[in-house]
Amino acid sequence: MIAVVSDTHSETGHELAGRTRDAVEAAEVVLHAGDFTTEAALDAFHDAADRLHAVHGNADTPAVRDRLPDARTVELAGVRVAMTHTERGGDTGLAMFGRQRGADLVISGHTHRPRVADAGDVVLLNPGTHAEPRGHPVTHAELEPTDDGLRGKIKRQDGTVVEAFGVEGRT
């Protein structure tokens, strides 16, 4: 399983709880779309996750920014995943960001609002926030490999499914 989180906004730790904590601890890979805020939060994620791929966000300290890129691309289960915290231009900007990287899936954060959008040749995923909802539900995403890509679910902290979706790989 692949756990996807964003927008931790913590001074002290990973702020994981409930199903989100279970998912991160059980995941083979954890993807974080930025805004840890401090090195303590980033280090706590490294301790909780077997394998962490992350980008920095706009609220991260200079020390976190020095340790993480602002964008990254990884291959998971035949799906090319491009990650960034935010991109100017909303969905259009995110889709262009993904296309420039040959991605099937773009993961972003920043809005704290969980959502999935189909942009034609790329799927846009914002897992929401697991720690600072700002009027939105507390959420994360879980991805499972399939024969032709990934099957995903955005889940609340109690495990309730908010939205299910799929991403086909190009390989």
Side-chain angles (χ1 to χ4, degrees), residues 74-120:
V74 297
E75 296 274 341
L76 299 168
V79 173
R80 190 170 180 100
V81 180
M83 297 172 54
T84 187
H85 183 63
T86 188
E87 193 70 30
R88 289 180 189 247
D91 283 1
T92 301
L94 288 167
M96 288 175 58
F97 167 82
R99 288 182 190 114
Q100 289 169 346
R101 286 154 181 79
D104 307 299
L105 174 65
V106 173
I107 295 174
S108 65
H110 189 63
T111 65
H112 296 223
R113 180 176 152 228
R115 74 186 285 266
V116 176
D118 184 345

Side-chain angles (χ1 to χ4, degrees), residues 5-30:
V5 293
S6 187
D7 294 280
T8 301
H9 292 279
S10 176
E11 299 290 321
T12 59
H14 55 53
E15 308 302 330
L16 294 168
R19 176 62 197 161
T20 308
R21 182 182 194 123
D22 295 343
V24 167
E25 290 176 347
E28 294 170 25
V29 177
V30 176

